[in-house]
Amino acid sequence: RSLRAGIGLVAPAGQFCGIDLQLIDDFLRERLGVQLLCDHYVALDKGKKNGGIAVGCSLGDVVEDAVTEARHVCDANLGIMPDVQVEYGFDDNVPIPKPLVGLVDSDTSVSGYGSIELTLIRPWLHHALVEILKNAMASSVQRADDCGEHTSPPDVHVRLVDGSESVSIFVMDQGVGLAEDGMRRAFRFAESSSLKRWDRIEEQTSYAMVRQPLGSLGVGLPLSRMMCQMFGGDVSISNREKGG
């Protein structure tokens, strides 16, 4: 196995441009830590009581902001965007929607409905959610394209689950899914589903949402997972045979 190492070059597995991937991970983790400390210090200096930490933050508000941005990016890049349904929990009182049956464990439960508040680094969670939602939306659009010209993309469903020991966010699409190799490569640095990646580096000079690509440099998911893991969380992907 190998990784693309610039245009026309191939590096051994575990390396990118001749640099060990573990070294890249360590560098990015340190960089994120320094950035967080700087942001926290600046926020404190500006009189914010909790600095860069959001205390009592509404998870629903964070998700809605991420959905808005991800839909904007999807529409700007593909000219269409699937609807996103944000709901709370799974149990007998709030049944799993029929399209999602089989996507989640039957014993998933929730305590509390309509509002989940917690302490978090809001920009980091926002970044992770936008990256995941972009992938889900692109997959849904691809499913619609495969089905025919006048087919609308299936909805993306987001479920917020407040469990006894953790809070989980399920992002579930009904798109084309991932092949087994794609599942393995999803969180590898510099891996991407985009046909053109590092030869598009000149396009990455603007951070405007309208120019943000749906898939490009292979950094979004690995960085999102790293952000979550640094605070005891995680990002994982599961697949199903029929896609999604």
Side-chain angles (χ1 to χ4, degrees):
R1 294 179 297 174
S2 60
L3 294 177
R4 177 72 57 181
I7 303 175
L9 301 176
V10 175
Q15 290 190 352
F16 178 76
C17 293
I19 304 175
D20 184 79
L21 289 178
Q22 184 59 53
L23 180 61
I24 295 176
D25 284 349
D26 293 341
F27 169 79
L28 290 174
R29 190 173 289 105
E30 294 294 332
R31 175 65 180 82
L32 285 172
V34 171
Q35 177 186 336
L36 177 60
L37 289 174
C38 291
D39 292 344
H40 185 59
Y41 175 81
V42 171
L44 288 172
D45 189 60
K46 291 183 177 180
K48 295 185 178 180
K49 180 179 179 181
N50 299 307
I53 302 172
V55 178
C57 181
S58 169
L59 185 59
D61 288 347
V62 178
V63 171
E64 291 290 351
D65 288 347
V67 167
T68 299
E69 180 172 338
R71 295 186 80 235
H72 184 97
V73 173
C74 187
D75 184 46
N77 283 269
L78 301 177
I80 190 173
M81 51 187 176
D83 290 331
V84 180
Q85 308 296 331
V86 180
E87 298 139 323
Y88 287 80
F90 301 111
D91 66 10
D92 294 337
N93 295 320
V94 183
I96 302 174
K98 185 176 180 180
L100 303 183
V101 173
L103 293 181
V104 296
D105 295 334
S106 59
D107 59 350
T108 302
S109 60
V110 64
S111 60
Y113 299 95
S115 178
I116 299 176
E117 295 185 353
L118 65 164
T119 298
L120 47 78
I121 308 299
R122 181 164 181 159
W124 286 22
L125 181 58
H126 175 86
H127 173 89
L129 285 172
V130 170
E131 291 296 329
I132 295 168
L133 285 163
K134 285 195 306 180
N135 281 275
M137 291 180 184
S139 181
S140 293
V141 172
Q142 183 61 53
R143 166 74 70 168
D145 289 343
D146 292 346
C147 291
E149 181 179 356
H150 301 292
T151 304
S152 299
D155 292 354
V156 173
H157 290 256
V158 180
R159 282 281 182 173
L160 311 183
V161 180
D162 187 4
S164 58
E165 297 182 358
S166 64
V167 174
S168 301
I169 303 173
F170 293 88
V171 178
M172 294 162 285
D173 65 73
Q174 302 165 68
V176 295
L178 284 173
E180 183 177 348
D181 183 57
M183 295 286 289
R184 289 196 300 265
R185 297 189 296 112
F187 294 108
R188 290 182 189 170
F189 177 77
E191 291 280 357
S192 174
S193 60
S194 176
L195 297 178
K196 295 182 178 181
R197 302 195 299 275
W198 292 95
D199 50 344
R200 293 177 55 196
I201 192 68
E202 71 279 358
E203 297 181 19
Q204 309 307 314
T205 57
S206 171
Y207 288 93
M209 286 191 296
V210 294
R211 296 194 61 201
Q212 184 178 359
L214 280 174
S216 184
L217 301 182
V219 178
L221 283 179
L223 203 61
S224 298
R225 190 182 204 182
M226 184 179 294
M227 287 175 170
C228 293
Q229 289 177 339
M230 287 176 69
F231 283 88
D234 203 357
V235 176
S236 61
I237 298 177
S238 60
N239 210 351
R240 62 171 182 161
E241 293 182 0
K242 296 183 180 180

